[in-house]
Amino acid sequence: YGIVAALLLLGLPLAENWSDRGKLFALLPKPAWSWHHHLRDWLWRALLTSFGVGVAATLVSAVSGVLFFQLFTPGALLANVVLIPAASFVIMAGFISLLGGLLGLTSISLVFNHAAVVLLAAIDALVRGFVQLPAMWFPAQFASSWTGPLAFSALMTLLLFGYARRWQKTAGGLWLPFVFVTLVLIFGVNFG
């Protein structure tokens, strides 16, 4: 639940912030855009959203991974940028399959159900490949038993606080959770 909260509370606002700062064709009025401008803008925003969601998931998993699995996974960002969009396609294929079944369109239901299975197999293969890469994960544990739950709770509180304040710079901005997690990892986690 923490990662889902981070996706909504931090990932999407982070992507929106990046999108506002790095607008494509900023000097060209939108009514003058042709189809390729719209397509490139949509692809750019989709990439930023994927990256923002991946960064938010990685941030929370830096704490929750150590807390629950005794693993620190710096390579999770690379994996998340690839796997989160793939998982979204699995969810869409599952929904279309369910809708097709409800409407009595068995062939459509079967096609999208099988597409979801193929995507899930590809995701599984990618995960197995990612964990074999060097420096993707390290054994780690919190220095004391109370540090992990406190750090995780504080991070969730910071995410709620930042979102409620619309990530204003006067309230620490978007940097606040990143600084917090960095300090937790430096002073509260034993690696190896």
Side-chain angles (χ1 to χ4, degrees), residues 34 50 59 65 68 119 167:
S34 62
S50 176
L59 182 75
F68 297 115
L119 282 170
W167 298 107

Side-chain angles (χ1 to χ4, degrees), residues 113-154:
N113 204 25
H114 284 84
V117 169
V118 169
L119 282 170
L120 286 171
I123 288 171
D124 183 56
L126 285 170
V127 168
R128 291 176 191 275
F130 280 132
V131 299
Q132 299 300 320
L133 295 173
M136 290 295 279
W137 59 274
F138 300 99
Q141 60 186 3
F142 280 100
S144 61
S145 61
W146 57 269
T147 310
L150 179 64
F152 189 76
S153 299

Side-chain angles (χ1 to χ4, degrees), residues 6-191:
L7 300 181
L8 298 173
L9 299 174
L10 179 63
L12 297 178
L14 193 60
E16 185 178 323
N17 180 279
W18 290 338
S19 182
D20 288 345
R21 291 173 180 251
K23 287 185 179 183
L24 296 180
F25 318 115
L27 300 177
L28 184 63
K30 208 164 194 173
W33 287 11
S34 62
W35 68 269
H36 66 87
H37 291 106
H38 289 285
L39 177 63
R40 290 180 357 203
D41 179 63
W42 180 82
L43 290 171
W44 175 245
R45 286 186 286 109
L47 177 67
L48 291 177
T49 300
S50 176
F51 196 65
V53 166
V55 166
T58 302
L59 182 75
V60 174
S61 69
V63 176
S64 64
V66 174
L67 177 61
F68 297 115
F69 305 109
Q70 290 74 49
L71 291 174
F72 174 62
T73 55
L77 177 59
L78 174 64
N80 285 334
V81 167
V82 174
L83 297 175
I84 289 172
S88 299
F89 287 123
V90 170
I91 292 168
M92 285 187 273
F95 176 76
I96 293 170
S97 173
L98 179 65
L99 190 61
L102 289 173
L103 295 174
L105 304 171
T106 308
S107 59
I108 289 194
S109 182
L110 286 171
V111 166
F112 281 95
N113 204 25
H114 284 84
V117 169
V118 169
L119 282 170
L120 286 171
I123 288 171
D124 183 56
L126 285 170
V127 168
R128 291 176 191 275
F130 280 132
V131 299
Q132 299 300 320
L133 295 173
M136 290 295 279
W137 59 274
F138 300 99
Q141 60 186 3
F142 280 100
S144 61
S145 61
W146 57 269
T147 310
L150 179 64
F152 189 76
S153 299
L155 178 58
M156 290 297 106
T157 302
L158 282 174
L159 293 176
L160 286 168
F161 173 78
Y163 186 78
R165 300 273 184 181
R166 298 179 190 219
W167 298 107
Q168 297 170 357
K169 289 183 181 180
T170 57
L174 290 163
W175 286 102
L176 188 60
F178 295 97
V179 171
F180 175 76
V181 169
T182 301
L183 293 173
V184 164
L185 292 172
I186 291 170
F187 296 110
V189 175
N190 297 325
F191 295 93

